[in-house]
Amino acid sequence: MSMQKVAVLGSGTVGEVLANGFLKHGYAVMRGTREVQKLAAWAQGKANASVGTFEQAAAYGDIIVLALKGSAAETVVRGLADSLAGKVVLDATNPIADRPPQDGMISFFTTSLGDSLMERLVAAAPKAHFVKAFSSVGNANFVNPDFGGTLPTMFICGNDAAAKDKVTHVLQQFGWEAADMGVAAAARVIEPLCILWCIPGMLHNQWTHAFKLLKR
Ligand SMILES: NC(=O)c1ccc[n+]([C@@H]2O[C@H](COP(=O)([O-])OP(=O)(O)OC[C@H]3O[C@@H](n4cnc5c(N)ncnc54)[C@H](OP(=O)(O)O)[C@@H]3O)[C@@H](O)[C@H]2O)c1
């Protein structure tokens, strides 16, 4: 079977950690950026790793990972809508506003629970199959984190069942159990988990935790 191709859109830490995670798990990865030159060193010497523009990466990937600044994501996605059609789009973005945190709480530019960034992305590229994932945990925990044998929970949502199955498989490879919270609109409550996740970090410099959904 040929290697699955993943496009990671985003030149920041989140893009780098996820790109390295996909390489580790046997995928071919192209990272996308507006400035291809700045990622050249990342790809150098790595098998199955390449760099391109957002457009080149979106055309390349079978799976697309969004690791973009939240405030830029909607415009970028709208511009790539044709390339994203029919593809799984793993959306790790959060709608973080440029305001400073208050009492340990970062703020969002989506200001009501009737709105979410991922729903805006769905509207911008309606034929893509978006799945929210990796948005509610710090990047240091993304790839096979060690919680002493306990599998952490990744809350996911999206409108396409097959896309969620694919992302669930990726999450298993990355050492997570997926908890499917339903349709894309559930991003309204998954995205704010990022605010909750950041509070121990902002207040106590504690950044190594993850969520676990206990069941009985
Ligand atoms: N930090 C974490 O641990 C963490 C955890 C979960 C989720 N997240 C979310 O993951 C996403 C990525 O975070 P990050 O810290 O790695 O990177 P970031 O600094 O939030 O975003 C970097 C990416 O956004 C693109 N970008 C910025 N402004 C743009 C514009 N005006 N037009 C087009 N593209 C633009 C950059 O493009 P260029 O490559 O061209 O510069 C770059 O690829 C964010 O939405 C964040 O909230 C972060």
Side-chain angles (χ1 to χ4, degrees):
M1 206 172 82
S2 62
M3 290 179 100
Q4 271 217 300
K5 292 188 283 185
V6 176
V8 178
L9 308 187
S11 59
T13 312
V14 170
E16 179 163 1
V17 171
L18 288 175
N20 291 340
F22 278 102
L23 286 177
K24 170 184 164 177
H25 288 293
Y27 296 79
V29 177
M30 181 185 286
R31 288 180 71 191
T33 171
R34 289 169 300 177
E35 283 176 68
V36 173
Q37 200 43 44
K38 77 176 171 194
L39 290 180
W42 170 81
Q44 224 159 34
K46 288 189 181 74
N48 307 310
S50 56
V51 178
T53 60
F54 287 142
E55 292 76 13
Q56 287 167 332
Y60 167 91
D62 307 312
I63 298 173
I64 314 295
V65 176
L66 295 184
L68 297 163
K69 187 168 185 203
S71 56
E74 190 177 349
T75 306
V76 173
V77 162
R78 183 169 294 109
L80 299 174
D82 287 344
S83 301
L84 301 182
K87 295 185 178 178
V88 175
V89 182
L90 189 164
D91 172 27
T93 64
N94 277 308
I96 296 175
D98 287 329
R99 291 182 291 274
Q102 227 178 355
D103 300 319
M105 288 177 281
I106 57 171
S107 63
F108 276 8
F109 58 76
T110 46
T111 52
S112 89
L113 280 176
D115 188 13
S116 67
L117 178 54
M118 195 170 84
E119 287 172 281
R120 296 186 189 189
L121 302 182
V122 170
K127 292 184 181 153
H129 304 310
F130 289 89
V131 181
K132 198 90 213 171
F134 289 109
S135 62
S136 54
V137 67
N139 65 76
N141 302 300
F142 281 175
V143 186
N144 305 105
D146 180 1
F147 289 105
T150 301
L151 274 189
T153 303
M154 190 70 75
F155 295 97
I156 69 168
C157 68
N159 292 334
D160 187 271
K164 286 192 283 192
D165 285 348
K166 264 207 173 131
V167 171
T168 296
H169 176 67
V170 167
L171 286 166
Q172 282 164 354
Q173 291 177 306
F174 280 52
W176 290 82
E177 65 172 15
D180 182 0
M181 296 293 114
V183 296
R188 298 172 191 184
V189 287
I190 293 179
E191 288 171 2
L193 290 178
C194 157
I195 302 175
L196 183 65
W197 186 87
C198 286
I199 290 176
M202 295 286 174
L203 294 182
H204 312 298
N205 200 27
Q206 214 283 64
W207 301 99
T208 54
H209 47 287
F211 295 118
K212 176 74 184 174
L213 188 63
L214 296 175
K215 298 170 209 156
R216 66 181 185 90

